[in-house]
Amino acid sequence: MSFKVILVWWIWLGMVGFSVGGRVRHYKFEVEYMMRKPDCLEHVVMGINGQFPGPTIRAQVGDTLHIALTNKLFTEGTVIHWHGIRQVGTPWADGTASISQCAINPGETFHYRFTVDKAGTYFYHGHYGMQRSAGLYGSLIVDLPKGQNQLFHYDGEFNLLLSDFWHTNSHEQEVGLSSKPIKWIGEPQSLLINGRGQYNCSLAAKFINTTLPQCQFKGGEECAPQILHVEPNKTYRIRVASTTSLTALNLAISNHKLVVVEADGNYVTPFVVDDMDIYSGESYSVLLRTDQDQNKNYWVSIGVRGRKPNTTQGLTILNYKTISASVFPTFPPPITPLWNDFERSKAFTKKIIAKMETPKPPKHSDRTIFLLNTQNRVDGFTKWAINNVSLTLPSTPYLGSIKFRINNAFDKTPPPMTFPQDYDIFNPPINPNATIGNGVYMFNHNEVIDVILQNANQLSGNGSEIHPWHLHGHDFWVLGYGEGKFKWGDENKFNLTHAPLRNTVVIFPYGWTALRFKANNPGVWAFHCHIEPHLHMGMGVIFAEGVQKVGKIPREALTCGLTGKMLAENGRY
């Protein structure tokens, strides 16, 4: 075997995070509501072990995580989804209520056990109702095993968990979305960096056009910014993840370049930017070189993209340790690009290509599914629909009902594989009415699936939104993006040589996005828009593959609905 082949082989092992063995890491999580001041005003938030955001989980490739999650909410169920973790062999631990498990009832403890098999930047969040909007989230970092080196050098690292925050609670938001007429949640009141933001003041009031007063912190306040302390002339890895409920964001650090090296737990060909867009559900690693004037401090800013903003920038400070962290920058924070400069957004997204060592997608697919995103009405209620079907989850988890072939658990009629070819994506729908459904797209084990996500005009007026779509249980190859309606022949434009592996991908207004994945992970998996209110309004589908190959499912995952009745009658399975 040549030296070159050996080198490529070792790089490949590092990329996929191959490891022999691994330790078991135990965590006890207690989910509860608490009073906090994340943006300087007191509100009810959802947290874990008295913390908001929840504790950061850190593990190495090959480790098994055992999280004993106790629901202390008293009046509602809960689950936690481990976003980006593929759950190979443990589909019941994916943390999706009515899909992979029953909701955890108040007072109950559920044991999540799964192996983290790939290094990268991930996070976790609630996947029941709109509990992510309530603040149920935290970071999950998977390191390479000891002895394996990263493909890039850095001297230290920071973790930035980005979120948006409302002063109306998640229950009020849910009721509004389910009202007739709809009461939209509106734009967030503040943007949070690691759970901290400022609503009634601005860190940069002296430098921007605002009526807000200058923030005055004595130290120790819950909403005081978490400062990033750095040494001059060093390289830092910044892990960035967005668990926003609604907002697309733009991240910038004044006077500093960012080198993007990781996206959704996968290495990408490094590229340099002044700022970067990040959509809900995405995660990145960027490298920052501290090569600026060490006698100054610099702004770290996040601002709204993709929606007309009504929320001020979230800010913190990059502090060169050569001067005091209390010294504010002497210039305005970076200007967030125009919210509707979609060409800029597309340019950034298309720069994300795979490293040479990344596995290439299969050259051909076995099946193609076209999924049209539309805003519709169902009995006068405003909903989102896919191929004119708005998703409403059943009371029995799909994983159990499919594995045990239980009748009447969900609609066995296959959902539509495409939409009418004469559908006009540039205008409001001629027939605005949709239906609700909970059917499943069934795939054969190891089948190669192409999905064409097609965007369209909203229900009324002119407009088309950006939607970030997240697939559970898999990474997929992003084959390409296009303008207008997908047509036959567009597949000839697919990128089959440097297609990046992702778990979340965006569809731009009036456009399409193509992705390919292999149905090689037995289980039942959600595929949905990661904007929380859009999923709540039905914007998602369900994929199932090789379910009969799934091994023993813990009893505690199936104790509701028809599987609960089955367990009660049989006593065991």
Side-chain angles (χ1 to χ4, degrees), residues 68-96:
L69 190 146
T70 301
N71 180 356
K72 297 185 71 175
L73 300 176
F74 301 114
T75 59
E76 60 187 290
T78 192
V79 295
I80 286 185
H81 168 56
W82 316 96
H83 187 108
I85 305 301
R86 294 176 294 183
Q87 301 294 349
V88 178
T90 52
W92 51 268
D94 190 46
T96 47

PDB file of all heavy atoms in Angstrom, residues 68-96:
ATOM      1  N   ALA A  68     -30.430  10.267  31.473  1.00  0.00           N
ATOM      2  CA  ALA A  68     -31.678   9.979  32.190  1.00  0.00           C
ATOM      3  C   ALA A  68     -32.446  11.282  32.300  1.00  0.00           C
ATOM      4  O   ALA A  68     -32.082  12.166  33.086  1.00  0.00           O
ATOM      5  CB  ALA A  68     -31.382   9.398  33.562  1.00  0.00           C
ATOM      6  N   LEU A  69     -33.505  11.422  31.514  1.00  0.00           N
ATOM      7  CA  LEU A  69     -34.246  12.672  31.423  1.00  0.00           C
ATOM      8  C   LEU A  69     -35.535  12.574  32.231  1.00  0.00           C
ATOM      9  O   LEU A  69     -36.397  11.738  31.940  1.00  0.00           O
ATOM     10  CB  LEU A  69     -34.550  13.008  29.964  1.00  0.00           C
ATOM     11  CG  LEU A  69     -35.121  14.409  29.714  1.00  0.00           C
ATOM     12  CD1 LEU A  69     -34.640  14.949  28.382  1.00  0.00           C
ATOM     13  CD2 LEU A  69     -36.644  14.400  29.734  1.00  0.00           C
ATOM     14  N   THR A  70     -35.651  13.402  33.242  1.00  0.00           N
ATOM     15  CA  THR A  70     -36.841  13.441  34.087  1.00  0.00           C
ATOM     16  C   THR A  70     -37.676  14.672  33.749  1.00  0.00           C
ATOM     17  O   THR A  70     -37.161  15.790  33.698  1.00  0.00           O
ATOM     18  CB  THR A  70     -36.458  13.478  35.582  1.00  0.00           C
ATOM     19  OG1 THR A  70     -35.687  12.318  35.903  1.00  0.00           O
ATOM     20  CG2 THR A  70     -37.704  13.505  36.455  1.00  0.00           C
ATOM     21  N   ASN A  71     -38.953  14.443  33.504  1.00  0.00           N
ATOM     22  CA  ASN A  71     -39.882  15.529  33.176  1.00  0.00           C
ATOM     23  C   ASN A  71     -40.436  16.125  34.469  1.00  0.00           C
ATOM     24  O   ASN A  71     -41.197  15.490  35.186  1.00  0.00           O
ATOM     25  CB  ASN A  71     -41.018  14.986  32.310  1.00  0.00           C
ATOM     26  CG  ASN A  71     -42.018  16.060  31.919  1.00  0.00           C
ATOM     27  OD1 ASN A  71     -41.917  17.213  32.340  1.00  0.00           O
ATOM     28  ND2 ASN A  71     -42.995  15.695  31.109  1.00  0.00           N
ATOM     29  N   LYS A  72     -40.055  17.370  34.755  1.00  0.00           N
ATOM     30  CA  LYS A  72     -40.556  18.068  35.937  1.00  0.00           C
ATOM     31  C   LYS A  72     -41.437  19.253  35.542  1.00  0.00           C
ATOM     32  O   LYS A  72     -41.508  20.255  36.252  1.00  0.00           O
ATOM     33  CB  LYS A  72     -39.375  18.537  36.799  1.00  0.00           C
ATOM     34  CG  LYS A  72     -38.527  17.387  37.341  1.00  0.00           C
ATOM     35  CD  LYS A  72     -37.453  17.861  38.288  1.00  0.00           C
ATOM     36  CE  LYS A  72     -38.032  18.326  39.607  1.00  0.00           C
ATOM     37  NZ  LYS A  72     -36.981  18.688  40.591  1.00  0.00           N
ATOM     38  N   LEU A  73     -42.117  19.127  34.382  1.00  0.00           N
ATOM     39  CA  LEU A  73     -42.970  20.202  33.891  1.00  0.00           C
ATOM     40  C   LEU A  73     -44.355  20.188  34.520  1.00  0.00           C
ATOM     41  O   LEU A  73     -45.110  21.146  34.373  1.00  0.00           O
ATOM     42  CB  LEU A  73     -43.094  20.127  32.365  1.00  0.00           C
ATOM     43  CG  LEU A  73     -41.787  20.241  31.587  1.00  0.00           C
ATOM     44  CD1 LEU A  73     -42.028  20.058  30.091  1.00  0.00           C
ATOM     45  CD2 LEU A  73     -41.123  21.590  31.846  1.00  0.00           C
ATOM     46  N   PHE A  74     -44.750  19.091  35.155  1.00  0.00           N
ATOM     47  CA  PHE A  74     -46.006  18.948  35.894  1.00  0.00           C
ATOM     48  C   PHE A  74     -47.243  18.800  35.015  1.00  0.00           C
ATOM     49  O   PHE A  74     -48.116  17.989  35.328  1.00  0.00           O
ATOM     50  CB  PHE A  74     -46.218  20.111  36.876  1.00  0.00           C
ATOM     51  CG  PHE A  74     -45.115  20.243  37.895  1.00  0.00           C
ATOM     52  CD1 PHE A  74     -44.287  21.340  37.899  1.00  0.00           C
ATOM     53  CD2 PHE A  74     -44.899  19.249  38.843  1.00  0.00           C
ATOM     54  CE1 PHE A  74     -43.260  21.457  38.831  1.00  0.00           C
ATOM     55  CE2 PHE A  74     -43.878  19.355  39.770  1.00  0.00           C
ATOM     56  CZ  PHE A  74     -43.056  20.460  39.769  1.00  0.00           C
ATOM     57  N   THR A  75     -47.369  19.571  33.932  1.00  0.00           N
ATOM     58  CA  THR A  75     -48.638  19.554  33.187  1.00  0.00           C
ATOM     59  C   THR A  75     -48.479  19.195  31.720  1.00  0.00           C
ATOM     60  O   THR A  75     -49.471  19.219  30.990  1.00  0.00           O
ATOM     61  CB  THR A  75     -49.340  20.929  33.272  1.00  0.00           C
ATOM     62  OG1 THR A  75     -48.470  21.928  32.733  1.00  0.00           O
ATOM     63  CG2 THR A  75     -49.689  21.273  34.705  1.00  0.00           C
ATOM     64  N   GLU A  76     -47.282  18.866  31.244  1.00  0.00           N
ATOM     65  CA  GLU A  76     -47.123  18.552  29.826  1.00  0.00           C
ATOM     66  C   GLU A  76     -45.976  17.564  29.620  1.00  0.00           C
ATOM     67  O   GLU A  76     -45.060  17.473  30.442  1.00  0.00           O
ATOM     68  CB  GLU A  76     -46.867  19.823  29.011  1.00  0.00           C
ATOM     69  CG  GLU A  76     -45.621  20.584  29.416  1.00  0.00           C
ATOM     70  CD  GLU A  76     -45.492  21.922  28.718  1.00  0.00           C
ATOM     71  OE1 GLU A  76     -45.249  21.927  27.503  1.00  0.00           O
ATOM     72  OE2 GLU A  76     -45.628  22.965  29.391  1.00  0.00           O
ATOM     73  N   GLY A  77     -46.057  16.845  28.507  1.00  0.00           N
ATOM     74  CA  GLY A  77     -45.002  15.905  28.173  1.00  0.00           C
ATOM     75  C   GLY A  77     -43.787  16.611  27.593  1.00  0.00           C
ATOM     76  O   GLY A  77     -43.800  17.825  27.347  1.00  0.00           O
ATOM     77  N   THR A  78     -42.739  15.841  27.353  1.00  0.00           N
ATOM     78  CA  THR A  78     -41.540  16.404  26.740  1.00  0.00           C
ATOM     79  C   THR A  78     -40.723  15.289  26.094  1.00  0.00           C
ATOM     80  O   THR A  78     -40.895  14.102  26.420  1.00  0.00           O
ATOM     81  CB  THR A  78     -40.676  17.156  27.784  1.00  0.00           C
ATOM     82  OG1 THR A  78     -39.678  17.922  27.115  1.00  0.00           O
ATOM     83  CG2 THR A  78     -39.999  16.192  28.753  1.00  0.00           C
ATOM     84  N   VAL A  79     -39.859  15.650  25.165  1.00  0.00           N
ATOM     85  CA  VAL A  79     -38.834  14.775  24.592  1.00  0.00           C
ATOM     86  C   VAL A  79     -37.669  15.679  24.201  1.00  0.00           C
ATOM     87  O   VAL A  79     -37.825  16.896  24.106  1.00  0.00           O
ATOM     88  CB  VAL A  79     -39.303  13.985  23.342  1.00  0.00           C
ATOM     89  CG1 VAL A  79     -40.399  12.987  23.673  1.00  0.00           C
ATOM     90  CG2 VAL A  79     -39.763  14.944  22.242  1.00  0.00           C
ATOM     91  N   ILE A  80     -36.497  15.085  23.978  1.00  0.00           N
ATOM     92  CA  ILE A  80     -35.358  15.856  23.479  1.00  0.00           C
ATOM     93  C   ILE A  80     -34.775  15.148  22.261  1.00  0.00           C
ATOM     94  O   ILE A  80     -34.514  13.939  22.288  1.00  0.00           O
ATOM     95  CB  ILE A  80     -34.283  16.047  24.557  1.00  0.00           C
ATOM     96  CG1 ILE A  80     -34.751  17.077  25.586  1.00  0.00           C
ATOM     97  CG2 ILE A  80     -32.968  16.506  23.946  1.00  0.00           C
ATOM     98  CD1 ILE A  80     -33.729  17.436  26.634  1.00  0.00           C
ATOM     99  N   HIS A  81     -34.594  15.926  21.196  1.00  0.00           N
ATOM    100  CA  HIS A  81     -33.977  15.442  19.957  1.00  0.00           C
ATOM    101  C   HIS A  81     -32.511  15.839  19.949  1.00  0.00           C
ATOM    102  O   HIS A  81     -32.154  16.984  20.230  1.00  0.00           O
ATOM    103  CB  HIS A  81     -34.696  16.049  18.749  1.00  0.00           C
ATOM    104  CG  HIS A  81     -33.978  15.848  17.448  1.00  0.00           C
ATOM    105  ND1 HIS A  81     -33.628  14.599  16.980  1.00  0.00           N
ATOM    106  CD2 HIS A  81     -33.535  16.740  16.521  1.00  0.00           C
ATOM    107  CE1 HIS A  81     -33.015  14.730  15.814  1.00  0.00           C
ATOM    108  NE2 HIS A  81     -32.934  16.018  15.523  1.00  0.00           N
ATOM    109  N   TRP A  82     -31.654  14.886  19.595  1.00  0.00           N
ATOM    110  CA  TRP A  82     -30.206  15.086  19.567  1.00  0.00           C
ATOM    111  C   TRP A  82     -29.822  15.407  18.134  1.00  0.00           C
ATOM    112  O   TRP A  82     -29.476  14.545  17.339  1.00  0.00           O
ATOM    113  CB  TRP A  82     -29.523  13.840  20.129  1.00  0.00           C
ATOM    114  CG  TRP A  82     -30.242  13.387  21.363  1.00  0.00           C
ATOM    115  CD1 TRP A  82     -31.201  12.428  21.436  1.00  0.00           C
ATOM    116  CD2 TRP A  82     -30.126  13.946  22.690  1.00  0.00           C
ATOM    117  NE1 TRP A  82     -31.691  12.328  22.721  1.00  0.00           N
ATOM    118  CE2 TRP A  82     -31.043  13.245  23.512  1.00  0.00           C
ATOM    119  CE3 TRP A  82     -29.338  14.944  23.242  1.00  0.00           C
ATOM    120  CZ2 TRP A  82     -31.192  13.537  24.869  1.00  0.00           C
ATOM    121  CZ3 TRP A  82     -29.488  15.233  24.601  1.00  0.00           C
ATOM    122  CH2 TRP A  82     -30.394  14.528  25.394  1.00  0.00           C
ATOM    123  N   HIS A  83     -29.897  16.674  17.816  1.00  0.00           N
ATOM    124  CA  HIS A  83     -29.876  17.179  16.443  1.00  0.00           C
ATOM    125  C   HIS A  83     -28.531  16.903  15.769  1.00  0.00           C
ATOM    126  O   HIS A  83     -27.483  17.368  16.222  1.00  0.00           O
ATOM    127  CB  HIS A  83     -30.157  18.686  16.481  1.00  0.00           C
ATOM    128  CG  HIS A  83     -30.333  19.322  15.150  1.00  0.00           C
ATOM    129  ND1 HIS A  83     -31.547  19.760  14.682  1.00  0.00           N
ATOM    130  CD2 HIS A  83     -29.447  19.609  14.170  1.00  0.00           C
ATOM    131  CE1 HIS A  83     -31.399  20.294  13.490  1.00  0.00           C
ATOM    132  NE2 HIS A  83     -30.125  20.216  13.147  1.00  0.00           N
ATOM    133  N   GLY A  84     -28.583  16.148  14.670  1.00  0.00           N
ATOM    134  CA  GLY A  84     -27.380  15.817  13.914  1.00  0.00           C
ATOM    135  C   GLY A  84     -26.800  14.464  14.258  1.00  0.00           C
ATOM    136  O   GLY A  84     -25.967  13.945  13.513  1.00  0.00           O
ATOM    137  N   ILE A  85     -27.210  13.870  15.380  1.00  0.00           N
ATOM    138  CA  ILE A  85     -26.760  12.524  15.740  1.00  0.00           C
ATOM    139  C   ILE A  85     -27.631  11.523  14.976  1.00  0.00           C
ATOM    140  O   ILE A  85     -28.858  11.554  15.085  1.00  0.00           O
ATOM    141  CB  ILE A  85     -26.863  12.293  17.258  1.00  0.00           C
ATOM    142  CG1 ILE A  85     -26.105  13.382  18.019  1.00  0.00           C
ATOM    143  CG2 ILE A  85     -26.347  10.903  17.607  1.00  0.00           C
ATOM    144  CD1 ILE A  85     -24.632  13.496  17.698  1.00  0.00           C
ATOM    145  N   ARG A  86     -26.997  10.631  14.226  1.00  0.00           N
ATOM    146  CA  ARG A  86     -27.749   9.795  13.288  1.00  0.00           C
ATOM    147  C   ARG A  86     -28.499   8.644  13.944  1.00  0.00           C
ATOM    148  O   ARG A  86     -29.373   8.040  13.315  1.00  0.00           O
ATOM    149  CB  ARG A  86     -26.797   9.280  12.209  1.00  0.00           C
ATOM    150  CG  ARG A  86     -26.240  10.403  11.328  1.00  0.00           C
ATOM    151  CD  ARG A  86     -25.224   9.905  10.329  1.00  0.00           C
ATOM    152  NE  ARG A  86     -24.012   9.410  10.997  1.00  0.00           N
ATOM    153  CZ  ARG A  86     -22.941   8.968  10.352  1.00  0.00           C
ATOM    154  NH1 ARG A  86     -22.929   8.973   9.034  1.00  0.00           N
ATOM    155  NH2 ARG A  86     -21.877   8.547  11.019  1.00  0.00           N
ATOM    156  N   GLN A  87     -28.169   8.316  15.183  1.00  0.00           N
ATOM    157  CA  GLN A  87     -28.892   7.264  15.913  1.00  0.00           C
ATOM    158  C   GLN A  87     -28.860   5.922  15.172  1.00  0.00           C
ATOM    159  O   GLN A  87     -29.877   5.237  15.049  1.00  0.00           O
ATOM    160  CB  GLN A  87     -30.342   7.692  16.182  1.00  0.00           C
ATOM    161  CG  GLN A  87     -30.501   8.951  16.984  1.00  0.00           C
ATOM    162  CD  GLN A  87     -30.015   8.841  18.421  1.00  0.00           C
ATOM    163  OE1 GLN A  87     -29.731   7.748  18.912  1.00  0.00           O
ATOM    164  NE2 GLN A  87     -29.892   9.971  19.095  1.00  0.00           N
ATOM    165  N   VAL A  88     -27.691   5.567  14.674  1.00  0.00           N
ATOM    166  CA  VAL A  88     -27.558   4.282  13.989  1.00  0.00           C
ATOM    167  C   VAL A  88     -27.748   3.153  15.002  1.00  0.00           C
ATOM    168  O   VAL A  88     -27.008   3.034  15.975  1.00  0.00           O
ATOM    169  CB  VAL A  88     -26.181   4.164  13.302  1.00  0.00           C
ATOM    170  CG1 VAL A  88     -26.026   2.796  12.641  1.00  0.00           C
ATOM    171  CG2 VAL A  88     -26.010   5.279  12.277  1.00  0.00           C
ATOM    172  N   GLY A  89     -28.769   2.341  14.794  1.00  0.00           N
ATOM    173  CA  GLY A  89     -29.067   1.240  15.694  1.00  0.00           C
ATOM    174  C   GLY A  89     -29.917   1.626  16.889  1.00  0.00           C
ATOM    175  O   GLY A  89     -30.347   0.756  17.648  1.00  0.00           O
ATOM    176  N   THR A  90     -30.180   2.920  17.067  1.00  0.00           N
ATOM    177  CA  THR A  90     -30.996   3.368  18.205  1.00  0.00           C
ATOM    178  C   THR A  90     -32.053   4.373  17.759  1.00  0.00           C
ATOM    179  O   THR A  90     -32.139   5.489  18.289  1.00  0.00           O
ATOM    180  CB  THR A  90     -30.114   4.016  19.299  1.00  0.00           C
ATOM    181  OG1 THR A  90     -29.279   5.033  18.688  1.00  0.00           O
ATOM    182  CG2 THR A  90     -29.237   2.986  19.988  1.00  0.00           C
ATOM    183  N   PRO A  91     -32.883   4.030  16.770  1.00  0.00           N
ATOM    184  CA  PRO A  91     -33.860   5.011  16.268  1.00  0.00           C
ATOM    185  C   PRO A  91     -34.851   5.458  17.319  1.00  0.00           C
ATOM    186  O   PRO A  91     -35.401   6.568  17.221  1.00  0.00           O
ATOM    187  CB  PRO A  91     -34.554   4.257  15.130  1.00  0.00           C
ATOM    188  CG  PRO A  91     -34.378   2.811  15.463  1.00  0.00           C
ATOM    189  CD  PRO A  91     -33.029   2.715  16.113  1.00  0.00           C
ATOM    190  N   TRP A  92     -35.084   4.639  18.330  1.00  0.00           N
ATOM    191  CA  TRP A  92     -36.004   4.986  19.409  1.00  0.00           C
ATOM    192  C   TRP A  92     -35.464   6.121  20.281  1.00  0.00           C
ATOM    193  O   TRP A  92     -36.217   6.713  21.058  1.00  0.00           O
ATOM    194  CB  TRP A  92     -36.280   3.763  20.283  1.00  0.00           C
ATOM    195  CG  TRP A  92     -35.016   3.082  20.737  1.00  0.00           C
ATOM    196  CD1 TRP A  92     -34.376   2.057  20.113  1.00  0.00           C
ATOM    197  CD2 TRP A  92     -34.221   3.426  21.878  1.00  0.00           C
ATOM    198  NE1 TRP A  92     -33.235   1.723  20.800  1.00  0.00           N
ATOM    199  CE2 TRP A  92     -33.113   2.544  21.892  1.00  0.00           C
ATOM    200  CE3 TRP A  92     -34.341   4.368  22.893  1.00  0.00           C
ATOM    201  CZ2 TRP A  92     -32.127   2.604  22.886  1.00  0.00           C
ATOM    202  CZ3 TRP A  92     -33.366   4.425  23.880  1.00  0.00           C
ATOM    203  CH2 TRP A  92     -32.278   3.545  23.869  1.00  0.00           C
ATOM    204  N   ALA A  93     -34.153   6.449  20.156  1.00  0.00           N
ATOM    205  CA  ALA A  93     -33.545   7.507  20.964  1.00  0.00           C
ATOM    206  C   ALA A  93     -33.481   8.839  20.227  1.00  0.00           C
ATOM    207  O   ALA A  93     -32.832   9.768  20.699  1.00  0.00           O
ATOM    208  CB  ALA A  93     -32.144   7.087  21.410  1.00  0.00           C
ATOM    209  N   ASP A  94     -34.137   8.943  19.075  1.00  0.00           N
ATOM    210  CA  ASP A  94     -34.053  10.164  18.272  1.00  0.00           C
ATOM    211  C   ASP A  94     -34.751  11.343  18.938  1.00  0.00           C
ATOM    212  O   ASP A  94     -34.466  12.491  18.641  1.00  0.00           O
ATOM    213  CB  ASP A  94     -34.649   9.909  16.882  1.00  0.00           C
ATOM    214  CG  ASP A  94     -34.383  11.054  15.918  1.00  0.00           C
ATOM    215  OD1 ASP A  94     -33.227  11.522  15.860  1.00  0.00           O
ATOM    216  OD2 ASP A  94     -35.319  11.473  15.217  1.00  0.00           O
ATOM    217  N   GLY A  95     -35.688  11.056  19.830  1.00  0.00           N
ATOM    218  CA  GLY A  95     -36.316  12.138  20.585  1.00  0.00           C
ATOM    219  C   GLY A  95     -37.370  12.897  19.827  1.00  0.00           C
ATOM    220  O   GLY A  95     -37.420  14.133  19.896  1.00  0.00           O
ATOM    221  N   THR A  96     -38.243  12.183  19.107  1.00  0.00           N
ATOM    222  CA  THR A  96     -39.335  12.830  18.388  1.00  0.00           C
ATOM    223  C   THR A  96     -40.657  12.226  18.858  1.00  0.00           C
ATOM    224  O   THR A  96     -40.937  11.058  18.609  1.00  0.00           O
ATOM    225  CB  THR A  96     -39.193  12.648  16.870  1.00  0.00           C
ATOM    226  OG1 THR A  96     -38.899  11.268  16.583  1.00  0.00           O
ATOM    227  CG2 THR A  96     -38.078  13.512  16.321  1.00  0.00           C
TER     228      THR A  96
END
